[in-house]
Each structure stands twice: as structure tokens, then as C-alpha cells.
Amino acid sequence: MNARQHDAIRLVLEISEREHGERLDKLIASRVTGMSRSFVQQLMKQGAILVNGQPCKPAQRVRFGDRLEVYLPPVEPPSDLEPEYLPIPVIYEDDEIIVFDKPPGIVTHPAPGHEHGTLVNALKAIRPDLQVQPSHRPGIVHRLDKDTSGLLVVAKTEPARLALLEQWQSRSVVKRYTTLVHGVVEPDSGTIDAPISRDPRERTKMAVVAWGRPAITHFRVLERFQCATLLDVTIETGRTHQIRVHCAFIGHPVVGDQQYGGNRPFCVPVPRQFLHARYLRFRHPTTGRVIELETPLPWDLRVVLERLRTLERERVPCQARG
């Protein structure tokens, strides 16, 4: 079936100034989640991708202001995901989207080593008729790490997924996190602008490297302790492990982060990495109205803060806290 038939999904992309000169197939694969370069090239052969209304080739270089049209095939039937009822609160839902307040310890979608107990398995249980691409992670627009809690948006229709993806790709979504980091962060606010890619020495980790993809993190100090700082963090980009990598890069790893903070001791028990996706602002994919959502810090992280504040009031030195 030709992807440009009447039942195809049409996605329109505008080329930004920073994307000028990039190779076309590579650009589209990076802009649209779940699309490989080989699949992009296949669509081009079918005439399902146009640049300014004209057929194109994979190696073609895009120009600032170019208008791309991508015609995606109809939605495939969902895969045989096992439905599982999990305690994941839904804080907003309508006909197009559903927003979860993901607890820690839950992976966003199935992956090797995490075939069950994911948010997608829970989604399959509560919304069994959902038919959104890609079939193995239906409606997933963005992800949160397993031990990061907070707001996560899922699309319930394919047009909604594509519209939300475009917002995430264009960086128009406002994403704010609360995190506790080791050490005393001196400036009251700042920006970390450092590219991130796969760590060349440890492929399971990410790292700041010169050849990485652009990554920008803004932070503001909320509260300082003798041995830690509570930060409000806003990310412009959404690179894998971005906040954790950037905080470690400036010498203030996230408290409880075993991967990027090592076994660095802390003065009170910490159940997991202290990172919570507390705030989202985006436009509804159908109506265009602004949706603004916020979720409070979970109880396990609140306990950590209360213990820290108690030690501060009692003026117990850091080195005596064990």
C-alpha cells in the first residue's frame, strides 16, 4: 500500500536555522521518534516524503525554511503486549491524551530485561483498545528513567502522537524537575550547555563529549544544606539521562544516582535517585489550548528533605552524620 493514499498520516516539519545543511534522511530519522534511516529511505522511494512539494533523495541537504511533508503508513494493529494492572495514577485524560504520575521503579516501555511491569503494560490493561504507533510502545512521546518519578504524557491517537512529537522536537514543551545534588551549588542559577552522547568507554552510560548532540539544562537553587543543594531544573533538550549527566559533569551528581554519582556516601538514607519530573506545559494536540500540569514531590523524597532539615536545625556537622 502506498503511504500517500488517503488513509496515510501526514506530518509537516519546518527546517530551523540550526538544521540548515543537514542530510535529509538523517534529519527526519532524528526528528521523528521510532523512524530509522532505512525506513525513511524506503518512504522516499515510495514518494511519501516531499521537500517543498517535490520528491527528494536521502543524501539531499536541507535548507533553513524548507517545508517537509512525511506521509506515514496507516497504524498497524497493536502487538501482543501483556496487560498488567499497576498502581500508576492518572492525573489528566481526554479523548486524545493521558498523563500519568509515574512512580519510581517502573520502566516506561518494554525493553530487554524489562519485558513486564512497565507503564505500557499498565496502559494496555486500562486502555485495551488503544491503537497507536509504534505497536511495541503505543503512544509513547517521551520517557522517564526507571527511578525517576513524575509526569509522563501518552498519546491516545496517532495524530495526537505526531503533533506531540513535533512539540517535543521543536523544544516548545516546558519541562521542570526537582532534584537534590551533592555539594553546595554556589550560583543561585545557571545554565549547563554541554553536548551529550554515548560514553565511549561505557556503552551503558551517557557522557558529555565534544561530538555529542546539543543539550541544555537550566537550574535554580531552591534550598542549600551543608552537603547538598535542592534545585529546580528546566531542560530545553531531552537527551537520555540529561539532568543526571549534566549535574555530574559540573561536579554535583544527583543524590542517590548510583550510575553517575558512584557510591558517593550521603548523610541520610536515600531510597533512589532524587529526581522528580514535577511540571509540564504543552499545547493540546487537537485544540491547541495550553495544558499546564504539576505534581508534588513523592513521599519518599519528602522524607529525605525532612531528615536533612532536621539535621540542619540540630546543627549536626556533615562529617558526623555517617
Side-chain angles (χ1 to χ4, degrees):
M1 177 182 293
N2 190 296
R4 293 195 63 196
Q5 291 185 350
H6 69 279
D7 53 353
I9 301 297
R10 178 172 175 265
L11 177 63
V12 177
L13 306 175
E14 299 283 348
I15 301 303
S16 66
E17 188 172 1
R18 64 184 175 84
E19 294 169 330
H20 179 87
E22 289 194 28
R23 180 175 160 131
L24 181 58
D25 59 349
K26 182 179 179 181
L27 172 71
I28 295 176
S30 68
R31 288 276 299 267
V32 184
T33 301
M35 288 184 69
S36 65
R37 287 176 69 176
S38 60
F39 181 60
V40 171
Q41 292 166 6
Q42 180 183 346
L43 289 180
M44 288 180 179
K45 290 179 181 178
Q46 299 172 354
I49 297 180
L50 304 176
V51 177
N52 301 323
Q54 299 299 318
C56 53
K57 295 182 179 181
Q60 183 172 326
R61 300 288 173 173
V62 298
R63 296 174 177 272
F64 173 47
D66 278 350
R67 187 171 186 268
L68 312 185
E69 294 173 76
V70 182
Y71 292 84
L72 299 174
V75 177
E76 299 174 358
S79 61
D80 294 329
L81 289 168
E82 181 179 343
E84 299 178 58
Y85 288 96
L86 301 172
I88 306 179
V90 173
I91 67 167
Y92 177 88
E93 184 175 12
D94 59 30
D95 292 339
E96 302 292 330
I97 61 174
I98 181 169
V99 183
F100 293 95
D101 188 357
K102 187 186 87 65
I106 293 179
V107 175
T108 301
H109 57 72
H114 297 284
E115 290 79 10
H116 303 284
T118 73
L119 183 139
V120 165
N121 293 110
L123 181 65
K124 181 68 174 176
I126 65 174
R127 301 294 179 269
D129 298 328
L130 201 65
Q131 295 189 14
V132 190
Q133 296 282 51
S135 59
H136 63 289
R137 46 183 182 184
I140 298 298
V141 177
H142 64 123
R143 294 179 295 178
L144 293 178
D145 296 339
K146 178 182 177 181
D147 289 325
T148 298
S149 55
L151 299 173
L152 194 145
V153 182
V154 177
K156 296 173 67 175
T157 68
E158 186 63 6
R161 184 182 77 91
L162 295 174
L164 289 172
L165 278 175
E166 178 60 21
Q167 291 186 57
W168 254 261
Q169 295 287 351
S170 66
R171 305 182 186 180
S172 61
V173 179
V174 178
K175 298 164 284 187
R176 291 178 182 157
Y177 295 72
T178 300
T179 187
L180 184 72
V181 299
H182 285 279
V184 180
V185 178
E186 291 298 339
D188 291 336
S189 61
T191 295
I192 308 166
D193 186 349
I196 291 176
S197 187
R198 189 70 57 183
D199 190 322
R201 294 168 297 181
E202 275 188 81
R203 301 301 293 174
T204 60
K205 298 174 64 176
M206 308 300 287
V208 170
V209 291
W211 61 85
R213 300 178 68 188
I216 301 174
T217 301
H218 307 284
F219 66 86
R220 179 173 59 88
V221 171
L222 296 175
E223 190 172 357
R224 289 187 179 95
F225 304 95
Q226 289 187 56
C227 59
T229 307
L230 187 67
L231 300 177
D232 175 71
V233 175
T234 302
I235 56 174
E236 286 190 26
T237 49
R239 308 304 176 210
T240 302
H241 303 169
Q242 177 172 321
I243 294 174
R244 299 162 60 195
V245 171
H246 270 175
C247 287
F249 176 68
I250 64 171
H252 297 283
V254 172
V255 169
D257 187 349
Q258 297 299 312
Q259 191 169 23
Y260 295 101
N263 295 316
R264 192 165 178 170
F266 196 59
C267 49
V268 300
V270 183
R272 58 170 170 110
Q273 62 196 30
F274 199 117
L275 185 58
H276 178 63
R278 69 172 181 85
Y279 175 92
L280 275 177
R281 188 176 74 218
F282 59 96
R283 290 195 174 275
H284 191 277
T286 300
T287 66
R289 69 183 177 89
V290 174
I291 293 182
E292 197 170 17
L293 300 169
E294 190 164 6
T295 179
L297 204 64
W299 69 271
D300 61 338
L301 301 185
R302 292 201 304 269
V303 168
V304 173
L305 285 183
E306 287 308 312
R307 288 175 175 171
L308 273 179
R309 288 164 181 155
T310 297
L311 292 175
E312 293 286 323
R313 289 193 296 268
E314 295 174 354
R315 301 179 181 276
V316 179
C318 282
Q319 59 267 27
R321 296 177 186 178

